[in-house]
Amino acid sequence: MIRKATAVWNGTGKEGKGHLTTASNVLNKTQYSFNTRFEDGVGTNPEELIAAAHAGCFAMKLSFNLSAEGLTPEELDVTSNITFEEGTLKKSHLVLKAKVAGVTEEKFAELVKDAELNCPISQALKMEISVEYTLNS
């Protein structure tokens, strides 16, 4: 499986603007800029998208973990707080509010830890980076 998103940027880093589009069109020329990344402009930014991906991936992995134990969560409410300092992603702090009947505290803690370590986005945040590009084509 390959998932795809496209970023188009025009102009300088500070004065320029860009837009993001995903293959599903959930994001369709969604605006991003210096202001949306470093101030409070209207639009999104890469760190916000990583936070959304991490929260969603963790919630789904935890749901799979619970299901494997015969448990069905009523609700898993997850917030990812991404710390971005000095041009580097430093931390994703996940805050979970869960409603799950029939699970012990010990079992739940075990399943949460597994989701923290093994959701694909958690693993990708420690990823090898490669680049393929075409210039002036």
Side-chain angles (χ1 to χ4, degrees):
M1 170 180 5
I2 295 175
R3 297 292 185 211
K4 177 173 105 171
T6 303
V8 176
W9 187 265
N10 303 103
T12 66
K14 191 161 186 177
E15 288 82 26
K17 292 189 179 191
H19 60 82
L20 303 166
T21 302
T22 58
S24 67
N25 277 319
V26 167
L27 298 179
N28 187 1
K29 296 189 177 182
T30 301
Q31 199 263 164
Y32 78 112
S33 66
F34 179 89
N35 287 342
T36 65
R37 192 168 195 188
F38 300 105
E39 296 172 5
D40 287 324
V42 175
T44 192
N45 60 71
E47 295 73 31
E48 178 178 72
L49 296 172
I50 290 171
H54 200 197
C57 185
F58 174 83
M60 187 175 274
K61 176 63 176 162
L62 181 55
S63 179
F64 278 119
N65 288 354
L66 290 161
S67 295
E69 297 293 324
L71 300 163
T72 302
E74 181 182 330
E75 182 174 83
L76 302 173
D77 180 333
V78 183
T79 301
S80 169
N81 297 285
I82 295 289
T83 302
F84 181 58
E85 294 174 345
E86 300 172 4
T88 303
L89 291 173
K90 299 281 187 178
K91 184 179 193 180
S92 175
H93 178 66
L94 297 168
V95 178
L96 166 65
K97 295 177 187 171
K99 293 181 185 173
V100 184
V103 67
T104 67
E105 181 70 34
E106 181 178 270
K107 178 51 85 174
F108 189 69
E110 174 189 317
L111 299 175
V112 166
K113 187 65 174 175
D114 180 78
E116 173 192 342
L117 295 173
N118 294 307
C119 89
I121 299 300
S122 289
Q123 293 178 346
L125 291 174
K126 302 172 192 165
M127 68 181 121
E128 175 185 346
I129 306 298
S130 62
V131 178
E132 178 180 343
Y133 68 88
T134 304
L135 181 63
N136 299 327
S137 66

